Amino acid sequence: MEASQSSAQQQEPLYRRAIFTFSGSHFLNDLVTTGMVPALVILYKHAFELNYTQSTLIVLLSYLTSSVSQPLFGMIADRKPRVWLLPAGVFCSIMGLALTGIAPSLPWLLLFISISGLGSGAFHPEASRGTHLASGSKKSLAQAIFQVGGNAGQAFGPLIVSVFITYTGIKGLLWLIPIAFISLLITVQILPWLKEELIITQRHKTTQKVKGANNYLGASLLSCIIILRSWCQIGVVVFLPFFMDSLSVQQAEILSFVFVGAGALGTYLGGVWADKIGTKQLLILSMLIATPFALIFPHVHGVLSIIVLLFFGFSVLSSFSASVVYMQRMLPQSIGLASGLAIGFGVGAGGIGSVFMGGISDAFGVSTVFTILSFLPLVGAIIAFFLPKYQEQL
């Protein structure tokens, strides 16, 4: 009887309505956080007359409020899920950025950015948990679809800044307010299903203990890899307009779109491949393949730089969804915490790296930042060799 139930669980299909709801809301959330905030730095810099270090404080606060709060929200949700954080989180993340369009000073700007970051921190654990519940036996594929939504938002962020905000100025961000209310319509409709699934999951926990103990050492190693990957992504998106100063802001932001857009495609295909070859192998390969492109990017120009940037983004971000599944399998007793670490804390630590890189830019120039970035994928690949193995099925 138990064997047949286990077999049925393994063959359980994706619940597509839920998966695409979470992916769509993830698009909106990451569009206004990791997508637009780094791309807006150059506009905030001019509007408030900031230096590089002050400018990157904006990214730091956005990512720090999100990254620190995500594991906390995840641990709270592991004890008692709060599904209302899903719509409330994405609403606050969008509304917070919209209000920066009327910020009268840097302190007010940082306050609104913090509200946006906290909203993102509340959204991610519940959305990732919901994706986990709706994934059936296709864990990596489901997370890939969910993460593609987020990565697509990150990709379109610089593009929206390039084609719209650079012409309207930061006041154009007020047009995001209607989007905040649309996000409520998207997310609220899935709450009845999510509540029911959580009740079933809680009953299952009381009758059958979740297999496997939490592997905190493995989770720490994986967090280091996610941080290095995040530094690559944030470093390119934030400092590319300054590095390629011969280009207009619009042209530089389009290059950022190429980088993150290629990463979105890589995220989806990486999720498909991870179900076939395993996530550890995918993590190692993605970082190794990204290394040569990272090393040569600072030294190429013209069309070749676009091609290298495309392959760099595709390879280094292809492990995004796989790393979330990997973290959930290393922390099977704490799915909310695992999601908070993989999507939040590790990724959000990129904000700290951006301030560090801002200080380097002020002291040694932006080119030094790209020299440092070029070695990060290789370091990540080396760490990935020491990750523990795990069973493919949860």
Side-chain angles (χ1 to χ4, degrees):
M1 179 69 176
E2 290 182 0
S4 62
Q5 287 178 345
S6 176
S7 176
Q9 183 180 16
Q10 290 179 5
Q11 299 301 319
E12 186 180 353
L14 291 171
Y15 180 37
R16 296 181 181 275
R17 176 189 165 195
I19 293 292
F20 286 104
T21 295
F22 297 132
S23 182
S25 56
H26 198 191
F27 171 86
L28 294 177
N29 183 86
D30 284 20
L31 173 71
V32 300
T33 51
T34 50
M36 293 181 69
V37 171
L40 285 166
V41 165
I42 191 169
L43 298 181
Y44 289 140
K45 183 177 185 293
H46 295 315
F48 294 93
E49 299 180 351
L50 310 175
N51 59 31
Y52 286 118
T53 304
Q54 290 174 323
S55 299
T56 51
L57 278 175
I58 299 168
V59 180
L60 171 65
L61 209 54
S62 174
Y63 280 40
L64 202 57
T65 51
S66 173
S67 65
V68 171
S69 64
Q70 278 193 47
L72 296 177
F73 280 119
M75 287 187 289
I76 293 171
D78 282 330
R79 295 178 181 178
K80 185 178 180 181
R82 292 167 171 81
V83 296
W84 58 268
L85 287 175
L86 176 71
V90 68
F91 177 83
C92 289
S93 67
I94 300 172
M95 187 64 73
L97 186 68
L99 293 177
T100 66
I102 56 172
S105 62
L106 180 60
W108 279 101
L109 173 64
L110 296 179
L111 173 62
F112 293 141
I113 286 291
S114 298
I115 293 172
S116 179
L118 287 172
S120 180
F123 165 81
H124 276 104
E126 288 299 339
S128 186
R129 182 198 303 277
T131 301
H132 179 76
L133 293 173
S135 62
S137 59
K138 300 293 186 180
K139 302 298 182 187
S140 292
L141 177 60
Q143 282 294 337
I145 296 172
F146 175 64
Q147 295 299 339
V148 162
N151 282 8
Q154 294 174 32
F156 277 91
L159 191 63
I160 290 176
V161 171
S162 172
V163 302
F164 183 63
I165 305 300
T166 54
Y167 296 102
T168 64
I170 59 175
K171 290 188 181 298
L173 293 169
L174 293 172
W175 285 100
L176 290 171
I177 292 176
I179 305 299
F181 287 96
I182 291 175
S183 73
L184 293 178
L185 298 177
I186 294 173
T187 52
V188 168
Q189 53 86 24
I190 203 66
L191 293 188
W193 172 85
L194 185 55
K195 289 178 182 178
E196 183 179 352
E197 285 297 311
L198 287 170
I199 292 172
I200 294 173
T201 302
Q202 291 298 322
R203 289 175 180 169
H204 179 74
K205 282 185 177 180
T206 59
T207 58
Q208 182 177 354
K209 187 177 179 181
V210 178
K211 294 182 179 180
N214 288 345
N215 187 335
Y216 293 107
L217 176 60
S220 299
L221 290 175
L222 181 56
S223 293
C224 290
I225 298 171
I226 295 172
I227 288 170
L228 292 173
R229 185 183 64 202
S230 179
W231 284 358
C232 285
Q233 179 178 351
I234 300 306
V236 170
V237 173
V238 171
F239 290 97
L240 191 62
F242 303 115
F243 181 66
M244 294 187 163
D245 54 5
S246 61
L247 302 178
S248 67
V249 174
Q250 291 88 343
Q251 290 171 326
E253 299 293 9
I254 289 173
L255 285 180
S256 295
F257 170 76
V258 169
F259 174 78
V260 185
L265 177 61
T267 294
Y268 175 75
L269 294 178
V272 175
W273 295 332
D275 279 331
K276 296 180 179 180
I277 67 174
T279 53
K280 178 176 180 177
Q281 290 79 358
L282 182 73
L283 277 165
I284 295 172
L285 285 174
S286 69
M287 287 296 191
L288 285 177
I289 294 172
T291 297
F293 298 112
L295 288 171
I296 66 175
F297 175 70
H299 309 289
V300 296
H301 306 281
V303 176
L304 186 58
S305 66
I306 299 175
I307 296 173
V308 171
L309 196 64
L310 189 151
F311 283 104
F312 181 24
F314 179 90
S315 55
V316 77
L317 298 180
S318 62
S319 63
F320 208 109
S321 60
S323 61
V324 178
V325 175
Y326 209 157
M327 189 70 80
Q328 290 174 342
R329 284 169 174 161
M330 283 194 286
L331 299 174
Q333 305 290 336
S334 309
I335 294 297
L337 174 60
S339 303
L341 286 172
I343 306 175
F345 184 76
V347 175
I352 299 174
S354 71
V355 174
F356 174 68
M357 287 181 272
I360 292 176
S361 299
D362 284 330
F364 304 104
V366 179
S367 60
T368 306
V369 169
F370 277 85
T371 301
I372 295 172
L373 291 177
S374 64
F375 290 96
L376 297 185
L378 179 59
V379 177
I382 294 172
I383 296 175
F385 276 104
F386 297 95
L387 287 171
K389 294 182 179 180
Y390 61 88
Q391 293 182 342
E392 289 299 321
Q393 292 297 332
L394 279 172

